């Protein structure tokens, strides 16, 4: 029986060139990646040419989050084994898949710059201008606070005399109420009860927000006391 060699319609290279991928175009169309690209531009024509496709590497880092790829190592494995995914990220067929060290150096350069803060501010400003965001959509969930490594030494207090048991007399109760009123008048906004904070202006609440953590004591599930620094901030 003779073997007839049938000619192929097209090879795998032609198939990849025919593939038109638009899966992530909508994502990259929502923001400008040029500020990040500028970090990796070659400033001069001298020297060896760049061997890595930095633009595709940046896009692959974003696609990694969209595709829920947990680590850079898994991203590189996906790029090596999936040619269509590699094209979706912007790599050419002739490009070499970057190593894990190359991605680490790129992430280090981006983290040391303020380009991501600039892009976020630009995106928020654009959203405000186009009416997608307003003041009602803004929320502050963190504030600056001072921290320290060791607890401040506590001052020795004189032992208080034992309280007199039984009901207070009328004069003692009036004296106690007067002292309590003076204490409440000298208390800061967040030292008062929550019911006294409800009518306070928002600016006053933010200005008087405590920024110094204090040592606190609480019991864990075993009933033992644990110590730790705690910052008590009551959101308005």
């Amino acid at each position: 029986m003779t073997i007839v060699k049938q000619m192929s319609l097209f090879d795998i290279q032609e198939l990849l060139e025919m593939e038109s991928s638009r899966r992530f175009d909508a994502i990259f169309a929502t923001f400008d990646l040029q500020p990040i690209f500028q970090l990796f531009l070659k400033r001069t024509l001298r020297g060896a040419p760049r061997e890595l496709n930095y633009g595709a590497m940046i896009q692959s880092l974003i696609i990694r989050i969209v595709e829920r790829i947990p680590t850079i190592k898994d991203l590189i494995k996906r790029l090596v084994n999936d040619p269509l995914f590699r094209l979706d990220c912007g790599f050419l067929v002739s490009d070499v898949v970057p190593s894990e060290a190359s991605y680490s150096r790129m992430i280090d350069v981006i983290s040391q710059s303020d380009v991501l803060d600039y892009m976020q501010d630009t995106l928020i400003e654009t959203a405000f201008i186009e009416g997608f965001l307003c003041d009602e959509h803004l929320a502050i969930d963190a504030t600056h606070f001072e921290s320290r490594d060791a607890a401040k030494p506590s001052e020795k207090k004189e032992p208080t005399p034992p309280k007199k048991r039984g009901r207070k007399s009328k004069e003692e109760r009036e004296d106690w109420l007067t002292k309590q009123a003076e204490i409440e008048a000298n208390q800061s906004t967040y030292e008062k009860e929550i019911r006294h904070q409800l009518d306070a202006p928002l600016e006053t609440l933010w200005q008087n927000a405590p920024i110094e953590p204090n040592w606190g004591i609480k019991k864990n599930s075993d009933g033992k006391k644990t110590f730790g620094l705690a910052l008590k901030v009551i959101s308005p």
Side-chain angles (χ1 to χ4, degrees):
M1 180 178 180
T2 59
I3 299 176
V4 179
K5 184 176 181 181
Q6 185 176 1
M7 298 295 295
S8 61
L9 181 60
F10 44 75
D11 57 15
I12 187 64
Q13 179 64 31
E14 293 175 348
L15 178 62
L16 293 177
E17 293 175 354
M18 292 167 56
E19 178 69 24
S20 177
S21 178
R22 294 290 182 270
R23 288 195 297 165
F24 304 109
D25 288 355
I27 297 175
F28 296 129
T30 57
F31 52 90
D32 185 16
L33 293 177
Q34 288 300 323
I36 304 179
F37 294 158
Q38 297 294 328
L39 296 175
F40 303 97
L41 287 180
K42 190 176 180 182
R43 305 302 177 183
T44 177
L45 298 177
R46 299 180 180 179
R50 295 281 181 89
E51 297 182 356
L52 298 177
N53 190 338
Y54 288 103
M57 291 175 65
I58 295 170
Q59 293 185 163
S60 65
L61 290 176
I62 300 175
I63 294 175
R64 166 180 165 253
I65 300 175
V66 177
E67 293 290 305
R68 299 181 180 179
I69 301 176
T71 63
I72 298 296
K73 185 176 181 180
D74 295 328
L75 173 63
I76 296 173
K77 185 177 180 180
R78 177 79 177 272
L79 291 171
V80 172
N81 299 327
D82 191 345
L84 296 180
F85 178 76
R86 191 161 61 246
L87 293 177
D88 289 337
C89 295
F91 289 98
L92 302 177
V93 179
S94 58
D95 287 336
V96 179
V97 176
S99 63
E100 191 171 354
S102 299
Y103 272 106
S104 178
R105 288 191 293 269
M106 166 175 277
I107 295 174
D108 185 60
V109 171
I110 296 175
S111 62
Q112 291 181 3
S113 67
D114 57 351
V115 63
L116 295 180
D117 294 335
Y118 168 76
M119 292 175 60
Q120 182 182 16
D121 294 341
T122 304
L123 185 62
I124 294 176
E125 183 179 358
T126 304
F128 268 108
I129 295 174
E130 296 182 358
F132 292 102
L133 288 178
C134 61
D135 295 340
E136 297 178 355
H137 298 148
L138 296 181
I140 301 175
D141 59 353
T143 183
H144 169 74
F145 64 93
E146 299 176 0
S147 62
R148 52 183 179 267
D149 295 334
K152 292 182 178 180
S154 58
E155 299 178 356
K156 293 184 178 180
K157 299 181 180 180
E158 297 181 358
T160 57
K163 294 182 179 180
K164 184 179 178 180
R165 304 182 69 179
R167 188 174 181 180
K168 295 183 178 66
S169 63
K170 185 177 180 180
E171 292 78 8
E172 290 177 344
R173 177 169 177 79
E174 291 179 355
D175 184 39
W176 178 80
L177 292 175
T178 304
K179 291 181 180 180
Q180 288 297 117
E182 293 178 357
I183 293 174
E184 292 181 359
N186 296 327
Q187 284 180 338
S188 62
T189 305
Y190 286 97
E191 290 177 344
K192 297 179 180 179
E193 297 181 0
I194 296 180
R195 60 188 178 91
H196 297 297
Q197 303 175 15
L198 298 177
D199 298 332
L202 180 61
E203 296 181 358
T204 303
L205 293 175
W206 283 122
Q207 290 175 358
N208 298 337
I211 61 174
E212 294 185 359
N214 295 322
W215 284 93
I217 304 175
K218 66 178 183 179
K219 292 185 179 181
N220 57 17
S221 58
D222 298 329
K224 297 181 179 179
K225 293 182 179 180
T226 57
F227 303 85
L229 279 174
L231 178 65
K232 181 180 179 182
V233 177
I234 302 175
S235 300

